Amino acid sequence: MSSVSEYGDSTRSVHEAEGPHGLHEPLVPPIYQCTVFEMDEPEAYESYRDTPYLRHNNTPTQTAVARKLAGLERAEDALVTPSGMAAIYVVLSAHLKQGDHLVTFDNLYGGTAKVIADLERRLGLKVSRLDIRDPASWRGVITPRTRLIYGETVMNPLLTVCDMEALATLGRETGIPIAVDNTVATPLGLNPIDFGIDFTIHSASKYLNGHSDIVAGVITGSSVRLKPLRVAMAEWGVSLDPNSAFLLHRGLRTFALRFRAQSDNACRMAAWLATQSAVRRVHHPSLTPTAHPLATPPALLSFELDCSGPACEAWMRQCTLARVAPSFGGFATTLCRAMASSHASVSADARKQLGVCDSLIRLSVGIEDVDDLIADFETTLAQLPRLAA
Ligand SMILES: Cc1ncc(COP(=O)(O)O)c(C=O)c1O
């Protein structure tokens, strides 16, 4: 655990894993654009394994950003990966083999749901997809073949918040490891490790980097839990390149500052949207404050416009500040229909069952002045009757 762990989130974002300090030392750790380092005792296998090598994720640029991420998630250790999907795939593949049972939830990020369906087919996995809003039903599905429980702390696009106490209790009582994707909540929303969750996963491409210029991922947990994953990643060749690791480290220095501003803006946008007659429904945890354990509310929200899917598309393209783009978590406000992003790979019937209708718009709120964003929406929502005609 880091020496700055007792400080607040902004201080840790800035100061974690920034050394060495001293006269003429650089204030920013340099980028080691280098595959391999000189080796001690060449005959010892352990020495070979410990020698920094890019594929082993143990070069200084990779380990510095991993230490910062572990600190932010209040975890002992972290592994950086070349994308969020790579982090998810590593955790699933390292725990599951033919015939095993996976417990998961029914409204996961579409990319993850697709990978699980694929593993289900190829490995003959048994998969239980639970309703995240009904913790009472979770206990009954555990079997002697259950090897992993996989969830998301805040689910995208409906912003459903998982009951972390109930999830951690399930893990404690059954001894089954639990992994959660904490991308939408971020470490400022909650730290799953504090609840007793074994692994957290992030698409660092989103808020952690925040500049919409790299894809990366991270898995955090205890050193013991991460050790087999570290070995598997080195064997499978899953590693983050030094340029992306350096940029992620740079992005993380302003993570707390950015995310707080984005979260405040999102709360303002959610409250404003909820008063608009053209808006049928708004999904954001700040609108039901007693129902969630999040220290900082998400910077993502979704809302249903009172019109058809094509009219929504036409409306989105009238906005001048918010740009139409499928990802989220960047510095600039973006929007898109959920059916074209998080749930693009989900069938129309399944989307309907999950409550992801064609006019559901996902809004990733940036760091702009929120009054400008509201003015943009006010102008364009006034045009909706014409666009919908
Ligand atoms: C919740 C969530 N997890 C994981 C991912 C995958 O991340 P990446 O695009 O970095 O592979 C995404 C991508 O949108 C996501 O929304």
Side-chain angles (χ1 to χ4, degrees):
M1 200 53 156
S2 85
S3 56
V4 295
S5 58
E6 69 274 19
Y7 291 121
D9 295 302
S10 276
T11 311
R12 285 184 295 118
S13 290
V14 173
H15 287 288
E16 190 96 48
E18 293 287 340
H21 299 299
L23 188 63
H24 300 155
E25 290 289 356
L27 272 187
V28 174
I31 178 169
Y32 286 85
Q33 185 71 54
C34 174
T35 52
V36 72
F37 291 64
E38 290 188 32
M39 173 180 192
D40 205 10
E41 305 169 45
E43 66 280 3
Y45 176 65
E46 282 308 320
S47 163
Y48 160 69
R49 266 223 322 224
D50 292 343
T51 300
Y53 182 55
L54 268 189
R55 178 162 52 78
H56 293 176
N57 286 297
N58 59 356
T59 67
T61 308
Q62 293 166 317
T63 53
V65 71
R67 274 195 291 129
K68 196 181 275 281
L69 287 160
L72 282 171
E73 267 294 33
R74 304 201 172 277
E76 191 181 7
D77 205 354
L79 293 166
V80 283
T81 59
S83 66
M85 282 319 301
I88 291 164
Y89 201 81
V90 164
V91 170
L92 293 172
S93 307
H95 285 88
L96 299 165
K97 58 179 190 323
Q98 194 136 24
D100 282 346
H101 176 228
L102 169 71
V103 172
T104 188
F105 297 95
D106 67 1
N107 203 358
L108 295 178
Y109 161 60
T112 309
K114 201 157 174 244
V115 164
I116 291 174
D118 187 43
L119 290 173
E120 190 176 15
R121 255 189 321 273
R122 285 194 296 117
L123 294 183
L125 278 188
K126 306 275 177 292
V127 181
S128 299
R129 294 176 175 85
L130 310 179
D131 181 344
I132 202 151
R133 293 156 306 180
D134 184 17
S137 67
W138 300 350
R139 190 74 175 79
V141 302
I142 304 293
T143 78
R145 298 300 303 265
T146 311
R147 294 288 174 268
L148 184 69
I149 301 168
Y150 184 94
E152 291 175 1
T153 52
V154 175
M155 300 180 93
N156 151 26
L158 297 177
L159 285 299
T160 320
V161 182
C162 179
D163 182 337
M164 297 305 292
E165 294 285 3
L167 193 62
T169 303
L170 182 65
R172 232 181 354 261
E173 287 177 1
T174 58
I176 297 163
I178 304 183
V180 292
D181 184 329
N182 200 29
T183 302
V184 175
T186 84
L188 249 73
L190 60 89
N191 296 118
I193 304 279
D194 285 348
F195 288 82
I197 300 295
D198 301 284
F199 301 100
T200 79
I201 295 171
H202 287 267
S203 165
S205 329
K206 312 292 192 292
Y207 300 104
L208 296 178
N209 178 58
H211 289 71
S212 305
D213 52 9
I214 58 156
V215 262
V218 61
I219 308 164
T220 78
S222 69
S223 302
V224 170
R225 285 278 188 203
L226 292 186
K227 193 172 176 193
L229 273 58
R230 186 184 292 284
V231 172
M233 282 169 56
E235 284 171 5
W236 298 341
V238 180
S239 71
L240 185 65
D241 73 277
N243 258 299
S244 296
F246 180 85
L247 286 174
L248 175 55
H249 200 144
R250 183 168 75 166
L252 284 167
R253 293 185 184 108
T254 55
F255 158 66
L257 189 70
R258 278 185 284 105
F259 190 74
R260 283 203 188 96
Q262 288 175 274
S263 168
D264 286 351
N265 282 357
C267 293
R268 281 275 309 277
M269 292 294 288
W272 181 82
L273 282 164
T275 65
Q276 299 305 299
S277 57
V279 176
R280 257 189 235 135
R281 200 166 292 135
V282 184
H283 303 274
H284 192 256
S286 65
L287 299 175
T288 50
T290 49
H292 71 80
L294 303 169
T296 311
L300 196 65
L301 60 95
S302 58
F303 59 97
E304 278 173 40
L305 275 189
D306 195 9
C307 61
S308 66
C312 287
E313 287 290 334
W315 172 75
M316 290 191 301
R317 289 177 200 282
Q318 297 301 306
C319 297
T320 48
L321 286 175
R323 315 308 297 261
V324 182
S327 192
F328 63 91
F331 57 92
T333 298
T334 57
L335 37 70
C336 62
R337 282 195 298 156
M339 62 156 311
S341 56
S342 60
H343 285 60
S345 53
V346 178
S347 72
D349 278 354
R351 278 203 308 267
K352 203 168 168 192
Q353 260 186 357
L354 295 169
V356 179
C357 67
D358 283 4
S359 57
L360 185 73
I361 294 176
R362 192 182 69 183
L363 178 66
S364 171
V365 185
I367 59 171
E368 299 93 338
D369 294 305
V370 69
D371 290 335
D372 293 335
L373 294 172
I374 289 175
D376 194 13
F377 275 26
E378 203 157 29
T379 311
T380 50
L381 282 180
Q383 298 168 22
L384 197 60
R386 175 179 61 78
L387 298 167

